[in-house]
Amino acid sequence: MTLNECNASPFSQSQCRVSSTSNLTDMDFFSVLYYRFKKVWKAVRLYLVIAGPGLVVMIADNDAGGITTYAATGAKYGYHLIWFLLLLIPVAYYVQEMTVRLGAVTKRGHAEAIFESFGAFWGWFSLLDLMIVDWLTLVTEFVGMTAALSIFGVPAWLTVILVILLMSIIVLNGRYWTWEKIALGFCLLNLIYIPAAFMVNPSISDIVGQGLIPNLPGGLTNELFFLLMANIGTTIAPWMLFFQQSSVVDKGLQEKDIKMGKIDTFIGSIITVAIAIFIVIVTGTLLNGAPIDDAATAARLLMETNHYIGAFMAIGLFDAGLLGAICISLASSWAFGEIFGWAHSLNTKVKEAPWFYISFIFTLATAGVVPLIPGAPLVLITLFVQVVAVTLLPAALVFLILLLNDKKTMGEYANTRLQNIVSSFIVGSIIILSTMYGVSALFPNIFQ
Amino acid sequence: MRTINQFFSKIREINQRYAKPTVEMSRGVKFSLAVLRIYLFLLVVLMIYKFITVIKVL
């Protein structure tokens, strides 16, 4: 029906209206769909540009020590503690998202923020403590990496040299963007535990029945308590606060990017816990009841059952150690650069920021040598990491909350009352539990 | 010797730069920092005690 026909006949007016409305509705539907798709696609593209610090820090949180803790959790208690790991998603998110806001608003790393806001005493305390904790944790990462590759017959000295070379190449390229994308590639490799978990054919009903309903297998024994605390300890580590804040600053995130930075951190916290759960499923299915002291032992035992799953476990352990080492050594170098006033960006060339890169390689090389020393006290170092981390973590977390409440600096991005309640509860719990963890590491029989 | 002197002058410069805390020292902040000091002091005491007992055993 043409427009003239519509106008000429009074009977056809309603018909014309229906027809045009229907056309319009169809057009509206497709234009709305197209508009929404464009909007979502734009948001996804924006996320892909901003994504990085949150994902990297969260996945690197599953470092060599973390993999050992999850493997031991699965081997000792099967699927029974999966519910507890799920609780760690909000814990990790709420703590780390504060560093995103702080970094984006102040444009300063955590070390510099502490120095400036709380003075030189607390600043030096945090910086020196961070240096010690980071170095000791780096040693444990190298222990994990050498143990993982020794399963494939690679000698420890060769692993150390290759890792130092690889990490130097990644960092010395002079671009934050390139470094971040390579780090994200290693994060992707960390997902290797997912196919491994499917390969062991776990019973879904057992996972749901045993794992998702909160329970404490065998009651709250000293051993279970220690393992729960170890899981919390691996979820929030002091270097993570320093690393993510400096990373946000180096990437150049602005206040308008905070929303995406928070989404990035949230997705990262889900992925890190998901990986932990898949590790628990692997060891909980195949190694239930086996004594697991470290992830490399778990990989060896898994190889006896299924060669591929054991190999996946070992590759994942190496990757976890590598990711942890990349982030931890950078956290130290960034912090030193901020305080000593050196150029300290991954966007700078070696000539422009020599001390930044020298401190990075020095930290890496000295930590890498330790596992090669015959009779090095590696168990003592692991113990020492837990104890020293307990001195730094509460301080760093308290400073974080205080800084987020400084309305003069943070403006509209300061903590709200609800955020303060939630974050204070989480931080308070972490401080109590990590202190108990550190004290029980010093005095193993104290809570018996 | 010159490098060591430069290093210490850098430390002094940093100490001067950050001599005055910029955060508003409200009662809450003062209380938190005081609790933190006590907490760290107790931890250090525990570590020293552990160190002495380990040395004694050796």
Side-chain angles (χ1 to χ4, degrees):
Chain A
M1 195 175 284
T2 64
L3 192 62
N4 286 339
E5 284 172 315
C6 277
N7 289 335
S9 162
F11 297 104
S12 57
Q13 286 285 333
S14 60
Q15 236 180 328
C16 286
R17 260 201 303 273
V18 170
S19 164
S20 65
T21 312
S22 141
N23 282 341
L24 258 176
T25 313
D26 284 350
M27 273 185 68
D28 276 356
F29 175 74
F30 283 112
S31 55
V32 166
L33 199 69
Y34 180 68
Y35 172 74
R36 283 196 181 151
F37 170 76
K38 288 278 279 185
K39 205 175 163 186
V40 170
W41 180 234
K42 194 179 165 188
V44 170
R45 275 169 51 196
L46 184 65
Y47 171 72
L48 291 175
V49 171
I50 291 167
L55 280 178
V56 173
V57 76
M58 285 297 184
I59 298 173
D61 177 36
N62 285 342
D63 60 353
I67 304 295
T68 295
T69 306
Y70 305 134
T73 303
K76 181 75 191 166
Y77 294 105
Y79 309 141
H80 287 279
L81 294 179
I82 288 177
W83 64 272
F84 184 77
L85 292 171
L86 288 170
L87 290 182
L88 297 177
I89 294 176
V91 172
Y93 169 73
Y94 269 103
V95 172
Q96 290 300 133
E97 75 86 19
M98 287 195 277
T99 65
V100 177
R101 276 188 282 150
L102 198 56
V105 173
T106 63
K107 314 282 186 291
R108 289 192 180 95
H110 202 53
E112 197 179 353
I114 293 172
F115 261 93
E116 191 161 299
S117 300
F118 301 101
F121 170 77
W122 287 114
W124 284 118
F125 164 78
S126 302
L127 189 67
L128 296 176
D129 223 354
L130 177 76
M131 189 186 76
I132 298 167
V133 177
D134 279 4
W135 190 83
L136 291 170
T137 315
L138 258 180
V139 173
T140 63
E141 306 300 352
F142 272 103
V143 171
M145 284 187 281
T146 50
L149 289 197
S150 72
I151 292 170
F152 302 109
V154 181
W157 62 268
L158 187 59
T159 305
V160 171
I161 292 171
L162 286 177
V163 165
I164 294 173
L165 273 177
L166 179 67
M167 284 173 60
S168 303
I169 293 166
I170 294 169
V171 167
L172 295 177
N173 74 77
R175 279 190 73 194
Y176 175 91
W177 192 91
T178 314
W179 169 84
E180 189 184 85
K181 297 305 168 240
I182 295 170
L184 283 171
F186 285 119
C187 289
L188 214 59
L189 190 60
N190 215 257
L191 302 178
I192 199 164
Y193 295 108
I194 298 174
F198 280 102
M199 283 164 72
V200 300
N201 290 320
S203 158
I204 303 296
S205 59
D206 282 354
I207 292 172
V208 175
Q210 296 170 9
L212 298 184
I213 298 160
N215 68 100
L216 297 172
L220 190 60
T221 58
N222 193 42
E223 200 174 9
L224 175 62
F225 188 59
F226 196 79
L227 211 53
L228 291 178
M229 287 190 290
N231 275 288
I232 295 173
T234 57
T235 307
I236 295 293
W239 65 264
M240 292 170 68
L241 307 176
F242 290 83
F243 173 83
Q244 191 169 6
Q245 195 169 328
S246 296
S247 179
V248 163
V249 175
D250 205 354
K251 187 160 185 173
L253 295 193
Q254 306 291 316
E255 289 172 23
K256 64 180 167 59
D257 303 321
I258 287 176
K259 192 179 166 191
M260 281 296 171
K262 285 164 95 169
I263 293 172
D264 184 40
T265 308
F266 185 63
I267 293 173
S269 61
I270 291 174
I271 294 175
T272 191
V273 170
I275 291 170
I277 290 172
F278 281 112
I279 296 168
V280 166
I281 289 172
V282 171
T283 56
T285 308
L286 294 184
L287 303 177
N288 206 344
I292 301 294
D293 290 329
D294 58 84
T297 308
R300 280 200 186 89
L301 289 173
L302 284 169
M303 267 190 168
E304 289 169 13
T305 319
N306 184 317
H307 182 80
Y308 291 107
I309 296 170
F312 281 9
M313 189 74 175
I315 293 168
L317 175 63
F318 173 76
D319 181 58
L322 189 70
L323 257 177
I326 291 174
C327 296
I328 292 164
S329 46
L330 267 179
S332 295
S333 302
W334 267 323
F336 271 101
E338 288 159 15
I339 303 309
F340 280 85
W342 308 329
H344 56 275
S345 170
L346 285 171
N347 285 318
T348 51
K349 300 280 176 203
V350 181
K351 273 184 185 173
E352 297 161 347
W355 287 108
F356 173 63
Y357 291 109
I358 287 172
S359 70
F360 173 80
I361 292 171
F362 179 77
T363 315
L364 208 59
T366 50
V369 165
V370 177
L372 303 180
I373 301 169
L378 299 178
V379 177
L380 195 69
I381 287 172
T382 312
L383 194 78
F384 205 55
V385 170
Q386 293 159 1
V387 177
V388 181
V390 165
T391 62
L392 179 58
L393 188 61
L397 288 172
V398 168
F399 292 143
L400 190 64
I401 290 189
L402 294 178
L403 287 166
L404 263 293
N405 277 288
D406 186 7
K407 291 201 166 53
K408 198 172 66 184
T409 314
M410 293 303 295
E412 62 177 298
Y413 297 101
N415 266 3
T416 60
R417 187 186 291 262
L418 181 68
Q419 281 172 326
N420 270 333
I421 292 169
V422 175
S423 53
S424 299
F425 174 73
I426 289 172
V427 165
S429 308
I430 291 173
I431 290 174
I432 292 168
L433 291 171
S434 66
T435 304
M436 291 169 92
Y437 183 50
V439 171
S440 63
L442 273 177
F443 308 97
N445 300 323
I446 199 163
F447 296 118
Q448 275 181 353
Chain B
M1 194 66 188
R2 201 176 153 192
T3 319
I4 294 169
N5 283 340
Q6 277 178 339
F7 177 74
F8 280 108
S9 71
K10 186 77 190 170
I11 302 281
R12 275 194 296 275
E13 184 199 314
I14 293 168
N15 285 340
Q16 277 172 358
R17 199 190 323 152
Y18 298 112
K20 216 175 174 188
T22 58
V23 78
E24 194 189 328
M25 282 292 166
S26 63
R27 259 194 285 179
V29 174
K30 278 181 185 168
F31 175 76
S32 305
L33 293 181
V35 171
L36 206 56
R37 276 175 205 266
I38 295 166
Y39 170 85
L40 290 171
F41 177 75
L42 289 174
L43 267 182
V44 170
V45 169
L46 271 179
M47 277 194 238
I48 292 169
Y49 171 75
K50 177 73 182 180
F51 182 72
I52 292 168
T53 49
V54 168
I55 293 286
K56 269 186 182 173
V57 170
L58 289 174

